[in-house]
Amino acid sequence: MTTRLAHATAAMGVGILATLVGVAAGHLVAGLTEPAASPVLVVGSTVIDLTPTPLKEWAIARFGTHDKTVLVGSVLLGVLVLAALAGLLARRRFAYGAALLLALVAIPAGAALTRPGAATSDVLPSVVAGGAGLAALAWLTRARIREERRPAGSDGPSRRGVLVAAGTLGIAAAAMGGAGRRIASYRSRTTVVDLPAAADPAPPFPTGLDGRVPGISGFRTPTGDFYRVDTRLTLPIVDVDSWTLTIDGDVDQEVTFTFAELLAMPLVERDITLTCVSNEVGGTYIGAARWLGVRLTDLLERAGIDGTRADQLLSTDVDGMTISTPLALATDGRDAMIAVGMNGSSLTREHGFPARMVVPGLYGFVSACKWISRITLTTYAEQEAYWTRRDWATDAPIKISSRIDTPRPLATVQAGRTVIGGVAWAQHQGGIERVEVRVDGGAWQQARLGPSAGNDYWRQWYLPWTAEPGRHSLAVRAVDGEGDVQTAVRATPFPEGSSGIQEIVVNVA
Ligand SMILES: Nc1nc2c(c(=O)[nH]1)N[C@H]1C(S)=C(S)[C@@H](COP(=O)(O)O)O[C@H]1N2
Ligand SMILES: [Mo]
């Protein structure tokens, strides 16, 4: 390597290391104050919000649950490229490099201040990142310049100076970043809160087909396996003792409930299958659980909504994220609730601790606000929720659908007697009446259904199949309690949910 190239490479390394020190210091301060305000994460969240819907849908489809890792990785990569440039500039003239570094820090600072629900203190991690980054850049640049001026061939203290500075800063960055991460995850760990028994319990949960059809989705989804979809890169830290839920807007009187006050109300327990509008045909953004909570109508009654002009419930979470729900559907007699419990325990942080909305039959993005803190009675004309502003549907009932769990697509199946099995759902549309399977484009054959846990819950199904050697295509469709047949017409998730029939290919050997 020529000396020039070596110097330039080292200068870029200096910029990158200094920036990493800043990012790590910011992450540590964020861990202690507001994890979501960590410089890289706050930029990531802002990118999520600014990403046009089609690109977001493509990313979810392409990367699935890794979409956020890809996003944070891309942001970090962009930062590091600019950081290398700052290092090059600083070698020429320190002020230039410093200016670029500060400009770089202005991005998360600005993002932190403009997030919904932002506090002024959210700028702190970025300010600390800037300070630490600059100090590291100054130290390293000075050490490097001393090293560059050293006569060639000599191995003096200046070289050691660079190595010591770089080593110290590298270790400091790793330690601060790691500590910030640990502190944030400690503070957002799941705490289990004791919940009272339901005044209106669900019937005993039937035994599903889990043991009898290997490979089928569990009749109830364990909380740890339950899909998670939200716009967050970190979990909110909510103190259950100071948390409240307020109902305001066009109501007779604004009311506020503490967690203890919610638990003192009659609790209902229901089996409900949640579905994400981004679920593709055959996808995994669906989960079935037993929920415990307060009826939404009981809460709305306390606020008084008889004379309301509202057509929308605008839910806001503890950080200002908004989700709309059609008032008429949420109060039409279905088991809409503010849930505090899931599968026999208090909610986990991932799924909305301490409370969230659950409305059977509506996709999660228009019903299932997690970490809920406010419900405002308003109109769609007056206020727009997060996804409404992004042109998603406001009235979005879950479409009837079905999925093949076993065999897996492109699996090799042993010839002979086997089983095709999966789940089907038509929440709040009379549930699942029938499931039909088609092999190699033949006639639709009626599958056998597992037990029912109510119309708001999915149904397991299976069909015994004598598999002959060769390639076979398997398709499934469902029929709901109102006689509606799952359509074969394909629709993308945007703007109101996917449709179509899942068809997979398997090899029988
Ligand atoms: N506060 C908040 N609530 C939210 C979301 C969100 O991004 N923020 N995402 C919604 C979406 S799109 C879905 S599908 C459900 C998913 O709930 P789960 O993560 O518990 O499965 O939560 C809903 N509630
Ligand atoms: Mo969703």
Side-chain angles (χ1 to χ4, degrees):
M1 221 193 299
T2 66
T3 324
R4 269 184 79 141
L5 191 57
H7 284 327
T9 310
M12 290 194 275
V14 163
I16 288 175
L17 184 53
T19 304
L20 285 177
V21 169
V23 165
H27 201 58
L28 174 58
V29 172
L32 293 164
T33 56
E34 171 52 65
S38 175
V40 172
L41 299 182
V42 79
V43 172
S45 304
T46 306
V47 172
I48 291 182
D49 294 351
L50 295 178
T51 305
T53 299
L55 184 58
K56 208 182 296 190
E57 283 305 289
W58 173 83
I60 291 175
R62 176 82 179 69
F63 303 115
T65 42
H66 299 300
D67 60 337
K68 285 174 184 169
T69 317
V70 171
L71 171 81
V72 172
S74 314
V75 169
L76 200 56
L77 195 70
V79 169
L80 293 184
V81 168
L82 290 170
L85 188 61
L88 282 175
L89 288 174
R91 179 166 164 260
R92 249 197 207 165
R93 194 160 182 173
F94 182 74
Y96 293 167
L100 179 54
L101 210 64
L102 286 181
L104 206 54
V105 165
I107 300 172
L113 287 176
T114 51
R115 305 270 323 139
T120 318
S121 57
D122 290 349
V123 80
L124 199 65
S126 300
V127 170
V128 171
L134 272 189
L137 186 68
W139 187 19
L140 284 168
T141 306
R142 197 153 350 107
R144 272 291 310 159
I145 288 172
R146 226 178 288 138
E147 148 86 4
E148 280 179 30
R149 292 192 182 139
R150 171 175 58 84
S154 70
D155 195 6
S158 59
R159 150 150 261 162
R160 225 173 302 135
V162 175
L163 291 178
V164 168
T168 309
L169 290 176
I171 291 169
M176 289 189 295
R181 205 190 166 102
R182 273 174 180 248
I183 292 167
S185 80
Y186 176 76
R187 290 180 63 209
S188 62
R189 75 200 179 284
T190 287
T191 41
V192 177
V193 178
D194 281 336
L195 301 175
D200 180 354
F205 193 70
T207 308
L209 302 176
D210 309 23
R212 285 202 283 147
V213 181
I216 202 168
S217 295
F219 194 30
R220 186 189 288 171
T221 315
T223 305
D225 298 341
F226 206 94
Y227 82 97
R228 176 184 163 199
V229 171
D230 51 65
T231 57
R232 301 192 63 101
L233 293 172
T234 56
L235 291 171
I237 293 162
V238 185
D239 170 30
V240 67
D241 296 321
S242 53
W243 172 89
T244 55
L245 172 65
T246 297
I247 303 181
D248 64 4
D250 192 10
V251 292
D252 295 343
Q253 72 257 345
E254 180 178 316
V255 282
T256 294
F257 301 88
T258 64
F259 193 69
E261 284 167 345
L262 277 191
L263 297 194
M265 295 179 72
L267 298 180
V268 297
E269 186 183 53
R270 294 291 183 269
D271 295 312
I272 299 167
T273 298
L274 241 55
T275 311
C276 180
V277 69
S278 295
N279 195 40
E280 301 275 357
V281 172
T284 55
Y285 293 155
I286 177 163
R290 174 161 283 196
W291 305 91
L292 178 72
V294 182
R295 267 182 206 288
L296 185 62
T297 43
D298 286 355
L299 296 169
L300 295 176
E301 218 165 82
R302 294 274 187 101
I305 61 159
D306 284 347
T308 192
R309 290 173 307 108
D311 57 9
Q312 168 183 222
L313 294 172
L314 187 75
S315 301
T316 307
D317 82 1
V318 292
D319 285 329
M321 166 75 184
T322 51
I323 289 196
S324 70
T325 307
L327 174 64
L329 294 182
T331 54
D332 69 357
R334 70 183 74 201
D335 287 319
M337 64 167 96
I338 295 300
V340 291
M342 176 180 186
N343 290 338
S345 190
S346 50
L347 295 178
T348 59
R349 301 267 174 184
E350 286 81 359
H351 298 292
F353 181 83
R356 72 174 307 168
M357 194 183 283
V358 171
V359 183
L362 297 181
Y363 285 117
F365 82 113
V366 287
S367 65
C369 186
K370 303 193 274 191
W371 315 291
I372 194 168
S373 68
R374 184 175 298 273
I375 302 172
T376 305
L377 280 101
T378 180
T379 63
Y380 286 104
E382 268 163 51
Q383 288 192 66
E384 284 190 316
Y386 184 89
W387 278 296
T388 314
R389 283 197 292 273
R390 286 159 181 78
D391 298 328
W392 287 82
T394 49
D395 197 340
I398 298 172
K399 295 181 184 173
I400 175 173
S401 198
S402 50
R403 179 176 81 193
I404 302 172
D405 292 330
T406 181
R408 311 289 308 154
L410 302 177
T412 300
V413 179
Q414 229 184 341
R417 288 170 61 96
T418 181
V419 182
I420 306 165
V423 284
W425 56 94
Q427 296 95 317
H428 215 72
Q429 297 157 70
I432 288 295
E433 179 70 32
R434 204 162 73 236
V435 171
E436 298 171 333
V437 176
R438 187 179 64 193
V439 180
D440 297 327
W444 287 104
Q445 306 174 51
Q446 193 161 335
R448 303 180 193 176
L449 296 181
S452 167
N455 289 346
D456 295 333
Y457 208 72
W458 66 9
R459 201 89 184 246
Q460 295 169 311
W461 59 265
Y462 71 100
L463 182 75
W465 178 43
T466 307
E468 316 235 317
R471 256 166 91 88
H472 297 284
S473 72
L474 309 174
V476 62
R477 71 175 185 189
V479 181
D480 72 17
E482 290 160 10
D484 288 332
V485 183
Q486 180 183 340
T487 178
V489 177
R490 293 216 152 246
T492 58
F494 180 80
E496 52 178 22
S498 67
S499 71
I501 283 174
Q502 187 193 12
E503 182 143 32
I504 65 167
V505 171
V506 296
N507 295 303
V508 177

